[in-house]
């Protein structure tokens, strides 16, 4: 499994984000509620102190009088004369205000009753300090809750993902091993168990299909070898006749080339039908240059009398660890398509240290066909009804089997470029 896309991490992250959102909402709610209650209580205290002062104090109407308690000071002045009020609250309009002066916090009520101005100042510095302490406590509790959510989420994710991880490990273990099967005893009757049983059933069906494919390919190959051998021997006998004309001899040679191609194609299909990938490993390096020259001569019949020049550019020697028959079929399909669909110009086959390129100046491939070029039902949209997709599908399957990469570029009416990168 890729470390950057592990399901357990996504579950943990989701749980953590949910916990963070819930904790932050709860924390902000507490802070907002505390602030609202605090403001309402302070405002009630200010109004209550002013009413009590007016009812109980005979000097409440005397301008210039001030009444001071532990945290509250009440200033009584005329509305036009405020010089006896401290400067930091002197110019405040009617209403309730928050004022900070000399590192002290005040809640101030300014009320005009008749011609008298009442200014009630409440020192709420200690309340604000406790409020900040409460906010810090909320943050600490939020962090602790997030850490707890992370631990719970991680443990829960590992618990939930554990059977999936075991299933993935088993599937990875028996990959490319037809005789292996899942140990279904590790899974219960939940959704993971159902998935494991369905995967086992699918695996068994797939193995039966692959075995039948292998048997079919082997049987067909065995049945075809005899008539092909007979055709080859008959062509060799005919080629030894002294009274053959040049045209007849050329036709016999064409039959011999076709027989050779069919033999190589049968061997290729046998290799592609193998179930175990280990069986297709080939340790000897085969040089592609001679294979290309041989294939060009075999496929030149597709050029006929067309004014097409074939150029082989062997920039660097290219050796690939694969059977010569496989390489011959791979190259033949690419070159045959170039020969068939190039009416004039140049066909260039280039060899580099790790890639083979076939370029042509043919009719090209349009965009809709390009999207399906390696599918077995692809046709060239040029009015020609001959199918070319099967050959390219064989190229693609050979590349997939050996870990190579096939790609192409094409412009309608200007030509195509097919490239095989031998990456392993």
């Amino acid at each position: 499994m890729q470390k950057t896309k592990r399901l357990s991490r996504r579950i943990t992250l989701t749980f953590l984000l949910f916990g963070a959102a819930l904790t932050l909402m709860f924390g902000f709610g507490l802070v907002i509620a505390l602030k609202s209650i605090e403001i309402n209580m302070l405002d009630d205290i200010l109004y209550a102190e002013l009413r009590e002062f007016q009812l109980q104090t005979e000097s409440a109407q005397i301008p210039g009088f001030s009444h001071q308690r532990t945290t509250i000071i009440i200033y009584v002045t005329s509305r036009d004369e405020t010089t006896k009020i401290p400067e930091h609250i002197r110019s405040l309009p009617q209403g309730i205000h928050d004022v900070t002066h000399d590192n002290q916090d005040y809640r101030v009520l300014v009320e005009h009753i008749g011609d008298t101005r009442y200014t009630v100042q409440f020192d709420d510095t200690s309340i604000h300090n406790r409020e900040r302490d409460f906010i810090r406590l909320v943050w600490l509790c939020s962090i602790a809750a997030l850490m707890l959510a992370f631990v719970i989420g991680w443990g829960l994710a590992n618990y939930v993902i554990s059977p999936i991880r075991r299933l993935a490990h088993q599937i990875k273990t028996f990959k490319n091993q037809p005789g292996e099967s899942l140990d279904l005893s590790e899974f219960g009757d939940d959704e993971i168990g159902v998935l494991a049983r369905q995967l086992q059933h699918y695996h068994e069906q797939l193995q039966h299909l692959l075995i039948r494919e292998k048997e079919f390919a082997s049987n067909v190959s065995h049945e075809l070898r005899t008539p092909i051998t007979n055709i080859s021997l008959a062509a060799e006998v005919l080629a030894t006749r002294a009274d053959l004309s040049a045209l007849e001899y050329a036709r016999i040679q064409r039959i011999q080339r076709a027989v050779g191609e069919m033999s190589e194609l049968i061997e290729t299909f046998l290799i592609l039908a193998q179930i175990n990938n280990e069986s297709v490993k080939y340790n000897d390096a085969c040089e592609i240059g001679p294979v290309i020259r041989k294939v060009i001569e075999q496929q030149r019949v597709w050029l006929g009398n067309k004014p097409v020049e074939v150029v082989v550019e062997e920039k660097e020697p290219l050796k690939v660890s694969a059977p010569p028959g496989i390489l011959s079929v791979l190259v033949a399909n690419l070159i045959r398509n170039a020969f068939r669909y190039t009416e004039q110009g140049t066909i260039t086959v280039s060899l580099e240290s790790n890639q083979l390129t076939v370029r042509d100046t043919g009719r090209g491939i349009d965009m809709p066909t390009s999207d399906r070029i390696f599918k077995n039902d692809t046709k060239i949209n040029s009015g020609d009804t001959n199918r070319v997709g099967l050959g390219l599908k064989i190229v693609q399957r050979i590349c997939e089997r050996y870990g190579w990469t096939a790609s192409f570029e094409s412009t309608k009416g200007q030509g195509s470029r097919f490239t095989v990168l031998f990456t392993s």
Side-chain angles (χ1 to χ4, degrees), residues 344-359:
Q344 61 181 358
T346 305
I347 296 174
T348 305
V349 182
S350 300
L351 292 177
E352 298 181 20
S353 61
N354 63 343
Q355 74 176 31
L356 163 67
T357 304
V358 179
R359 298 190 303 271

Side-chain angles (χ1 to χ4, degrees), residues 265-407:
L265 193 57
I266 289 174
E267 295 299 326
T268 300
F269 286 156
L270 280 175
I271 293 176
L272 294 179
Q274 296 295 322
I275 294 178
N276 192 342
N277 284 337
E278 298 297 325
S279 62
V280 301
K281 287 187 176 180
Y282 194 83
N283 297 323
D284 296 333
C286 177
E287 189 172 350
I288 295 187
V291 174
I292 289 177
R293 286 185 282 272
K294 174 186 174 183
V295 169
I296 289 176
E297 293 305 316
Q298 290 176 342
Q299 303 296 328
R300 194 175 289 274
V301 65
W302 293 105
L303 289 178
N305 296 323
K306 293 188 290 187
V308 176
E309 180 184 5
V310 181
V311 179
V312 178
E313 296 179 348
E314 193 167 357
K315 300 178 181 179
E316 297 181 45
L318 176 58
K319 293 184 177 181
V320 180
S321 297
I326 288 287
L327 296 175
S328 179
V329 172
L330 175 74
V331 174
N333 279 284
L334 296 177
I335 291 180
R336 181 165 54 248
N337 279 335
F339 283 4
R340 292 177 65 182
Y341 296 102
T342 302
E343 300 300 327
Q344 61 181 358
T346 305
I347 296 174
T348 305
V349 182
S350 300
L351 292 177
E352 298 181 20
S353 61
N354 63 343
Q355 74 176 31
L356 163 67
T357 304
V358 179
R359 298 190 303 271
D360 63 64
T361 57
R363 61 191 66 175
I365 304 173
D366 55 20
M367 289 301 297
T369 306
S370 298
D371 296 335
R372 300 178 292 114
I373 193 64
F374 285 117
K375 296 183 179 179
N376 58 7
D377 61 345
T378 302
K379 297 181 182 179
I380 296 297
N381 294 328
S382 61
D384 192 332
T385 58
N386 293 324
R387 294 161 65 97
V388 299
L390 180 59
L392 296 179
K393 185 63 178 179
I394 293 174
V395 170
Q396 179 71 1
R397 187 166 179 182
I398 291 174
C399 291
E400 290 176 353
R401 180 65 105 181
Y402 286 91
W404 306 332
T405 303
S407 61

Side-chain angles (χ1 to χ4, degrees), residues 20-252:
L22 191 63
T23 302
L24 290 176
M25 289 176 60
F26 183 71
F28 280 121
L30 282 178
V31 172
I32 293 173
L34 174 66
K35 190 69 176 178
S36 177
I37 294 173
E38 173 191 312
I39 291 174
N40 290 332
M41 290 182 61
L42 289 178
D43 293 347
D44 291 342
I45 291 173
L46 291 175
Y47 281 110
E49 287 289 336
L50 178 59
R51 285 195 300 271
E52 184 179 358
F53 175 72
Q54 289 177 321
L55 294 175
Q56 297 180 2
T57 306
E58 298 180 355
S59 303
Q61 304 294 330
I62 301 176
F65 179 83
S66 63
H67 172 72
Q68 182 171 356
R69 294 173 62 181
T70 305
T71 57
I72 295 180
I73 302 177
I74 301 177
Y75 299 96
V76 182
T77 63
S78 63
R79 296 178 61 176
D80 299 328
E81 179 60 40
T82 58
T83 56
K84 294 183 179 181
I85 301 176
E87 184 177 357
H88 63 277
I89 59 174
R90 184 178 300 168
S91 59
L92 296 177
Q94 282 195 97
I96 298 178
H97 311 276
D98 286 312
V99 179
T100 300
H101 179 68
D102 290 339
N103 296 323
Q104 295 291 111
D105 297 322
Y106 302 100
R107 186 75 172 174
V108 181
L109 168 64
V110 178
E111 187 79 12
H112 293 172
I113 302 176
D115 293 332
T116 305
R117 173 190 175 98
Y118 294 91
T119 304
V120 184
Q121 175 182 280
F122 183 86
D123 187 351
D124 59 353
T125 303
S126 60
I127 295 178
H128 284 177
N129 289 336
R130 286 194 293 271
E131 177 186 329
R132 283 188 284 269
D133 292 339
F134 177 78
I135 293 175
R136 293 191 190 97
L137 179 62
V138 170
W139 276 111
L140 289 175
C141 291
S142 299
I143 294 173
L146 289 179
M147 294 177 64
L148 181 62
F150 175 79
V151 173
I152 295 176
W154 182 262
L156 182 62
N158 285 331
Y159 175 77
V160 172
I161 298 302
S162 178
I164 300 178
R165 187 179 291 115
R166 293 198 302 270
L167 178 60
H169 176 72
Q170 287 194 37
I171 294 174
K172 186 177 180 181
T173 300
F174 72 65
K175 183 180 180 182
N176 298 326
Q177 299 183 22
E180 296 293 330
S181 61
L182 292 174
D183 183 7
L184 299 179
S185 62
E186 293 190 15
F187 309 102
D189 294 330
D190 54 8
E191 290 81 357
I192 304 301
V194 173
L195 177 61
R197 287 188 288 273
Q198 290 298 322
L199 285 174
Q200 176 62 27
H201 177 66
Y202 173 76
H203 176 67
E204 292 173 354
Q205 286 187 321
L206 181 61
Q207 294 308 318
H208 290 321
L209 289 174
L210 291 175
I211 291 172
R212 285 200 296 268
E213 179 186 350
K214 181 181 179 181
E215 292 176 349
F216 175 78
S218 299
N219 294 334
V220 170
S221 174
H222 177 74
E223 296 298 328
L224 288 177
R225 279 194 177 113
T226 300
I228 288 176
T229 302
N230 293 334
I231 294 173
S232 178
L233 293 175
E236 290 180 4
V237 171
L238 289 175
T240 59
R241 291 179 56 179
D243 58 343
L244 292 176
S245 65
L247 179 60
E248 291 173 334
Y249 185 73
R251 290 175 177 173
I252 293 174

